[in-house]
Amino acid sequence: MKKVKKAVIPAAGLGVRFLPATKAQPKEMLPIVDKPAIQYIVEEIIESGINEILIITGKSKRSIVDHFDKSLELEVRLEEKGNAELLEMVQELGKLADIYYTRQKEPLGLGHAVYCARQFVRDEPFAVLLGDDIVQSDRPCLRQLMDLYDQVQSTVIAVMEVPQEEVSKYGILDAVQEQPGIYRISDLVEKPSQDNAPSRLAIMGRYIIEPGIFPVLAGAEPGAGGEIQLTDALKVLCREQAMYGLAFQGKRYDVGNKLGYLQATVEFALARPDLSGAFREYLRTLCAKINEPV
Ligand code: UTP
């Protein structure tokens, strides 16, 4: 039986929707409370049982590499100050998993970023987690996909039903439900218009993909937005192999857009025992103020 042992995080995009914050720093490093977005993703991968991770980086993305590296100077300072708790946290960060890096020289699109992982992946099924999509769930979202992969031994994509007026923001499935929450995919369309969308089942930032995607990506042409789209390559693969969508359990935040980022920040802060009391009180006062008659 084939097992998923490697994960890829494409994090080389320009982050245009979050300018000017992303002019010189990666959007994947924007903190949600006190942890950069990409750390939540790395932790989800590790909790799912995968220990080999490739991060696709690009221009202005050095801080991602530094974040997961050992920081001797910081460790010495924390030791001198006797701050054992912070010292342990920083040391743990440096040895979270085996993290490898490769550069996407130009941000030509998500499909191209995934193609940059071919040497790392070779001929195994692999997971892809987008660097700006965070999922909060009891069982890690990636683990849920891996459980389905173990059964079907074929490409599995995380999906969520979105309102009709939002279909043009996503890759959308043409699919039939085989079991509750499990869809057999017959086609995929990147960012269709409302009239042309085959369903409201949208692709979220988690995939398990068969290595057969690489020959398809090798010959891929730019699609929607002039970018080499992963959805277009999956569309071709879907004609050759079985492909499934999984409506996962959990809440997904697109932290690459401003509203999604704010929602994640508020909800993650409310879930933090060390912050929730004071923060809840602050929000209560704020809500009362907002609701006051003007
Ligand atoms: P997005 O489309 O959300 O990222 O891609 P973007 O292009 O940075 O976003 P905007 O529209 O400019 O704000 C999803 C993920 O794929 C990565 C991004 O870093 C993000 O984590 N990506 C995208 C790449 O690695 N390379 C690319 O060429 C495009």
Side-chain angles (χ1 to χ4, degrees):
M1 185 162 97
K2 294 180 287 180
K3 284 273 178 199
V4 184
K5 290 181 281 196
K6 292 175 179 170
V8 176
I9 307 177
L14 290 178
V16 169
R17 285 170 297 160
F18 230 115
L19 281 169
T22 47
K23 183 162 179 278
Q25 66 160 337
K27 66 174 167 181
E28 296 81 7
M29 285 299 289
L30 292 172
I32 313 295
V33 187
D34 53 6
K35 235 191 254 183
I38 196 163
Q39 191 180 331
Y40 289 94
I41 296 163
V42 166
E43 287 173 357
E44 179 186 329
I45 294 171
I46 294 165
E47 281 165 27
S48 300
I50 293 183
N51 207 32
E52 271 185 86
I53 302 171
L54 176 74
I55 300 181
I56 314 286
T57 68
K59 203 173 167 293
S60 308
K61 304 279 181 170
R62 257 201 78 147
S63 58
I64 298 179
V65 184
D66 288 340
H67 182 72
F68 293 108
D69 200 2
K70 192 170 171 64
S71 175
L72 268 181
E73 197 185 319
L74 180 62
E75 287 180 23
V76 169
R77 283 287 160 85
L78 291 171
E79 202 158 10
E80 280 169 5
K81 284 178 189 278
N83 198 330
E85 205 179 312
L86 279 183
L87 176 63
E88 195 189 328
M89 193 239 279
V90 166
Q91 283 173 334
E92 286 305 311
L93 201 48
K95 44 187 180 186
L96 267 179
D98 293 331
I99 303 184
Y100 304 87
Y101 301 90
T102 195
R103 259 175 101 99
Q104 185 188 18
K105 292 194 180 84
E106 267 183 89
L108 297 177
L110 177 59
H112 182 258
V114 170
Y115 187 61
C116 295
R118 62 196 183 281
Q119 301 289 357
F120 168 80
V121 169
R122 295 182 183 274
D123 58 354
E124 296 174 39
F126 63 106
V128 174
L129 297 92
L130 300 193
D132 55 359
D133 259 14
I134 297 183
V135 180
Q136 208 175 32
S137 55
D138 297 334
R139 192 160 173 75
C141 179
L142 175 58
R143 188 64 249 178
Q144 297 176 45
L145 294 187
M146 288 164 71
D147 291 344
L148 179 57
Y149 182 84
D150 285 346
Q151 290 174 41
V152 298
Q153 296 283 289
S154 207
T155 297
V156 175
I157 303 173
V159 300
M160 193 176 84
E161 231 175 71
V162 296
Q164 189 70 29
E165 56 278 15
E166 288 186 16
V167 288
S168 59
K169 293 188 198 157
Y170 296 95
I172 298 289
L173 304 189
D174 191 351
V176 282
Q177 187 161 226
E178 280 201 339
Q179 288 173 46
I182 300 175
Y183 299 86
R184 175 74 187 246
I185 303 173
S186 55
D187 200 5
L188 308 95
V189 202
E190 184 62 29
K191 300 188 173 67
S193 66
Q194 282 191 43
D195 298 336
N196 290 329
S199 76
R200 292 194 291 117
L201 288 171
I203 302 175
M204 297 295 138
R206 303 280 183 280
Y207 313 74
I208 290 173
I209 307 178
E210 290 289 340
I213 197 78
F214 292 119
V216 181
L217 283 170
E221 297 286 336
E227 296 193 344
I228 296 176
Q229 297 287 353
L230 180 61
T231 307
D232 293 343
L234 287 168
K235 188 184 169 83
V236 175
L237 192 67
C238 174
R239 287 187 213 123
E240 298 166 7
Q241 304 176 2
M243 196 173 281
Y244 295 86
L246 175 70
F248 57 97
Q249 171 274 321
K251 185 158 183 191
R252 171 256 188 189
Y253 302 88
D254 175 5
V255 299
N257 92 54
K258 289 169 205 164
L259 187 61
Y261 177 79
L262 290 170
Q263 287 164 344
T265 302
V266 171
E267 291 184 36
F268 279 60
L270 283 172
R272 279 274 296 262
D274 57 331
L275 288 171
S276 70
F279 190 52
R280 201 172 290 269
E281 198 42 51
Y282 163 72
L283 289 180
R284 256 196 217 110
T285 322
L286 191 65
C287 287
K289 216 183 241 171
I290 291 170
N291 291 327
E292 267 172 19
V294 267

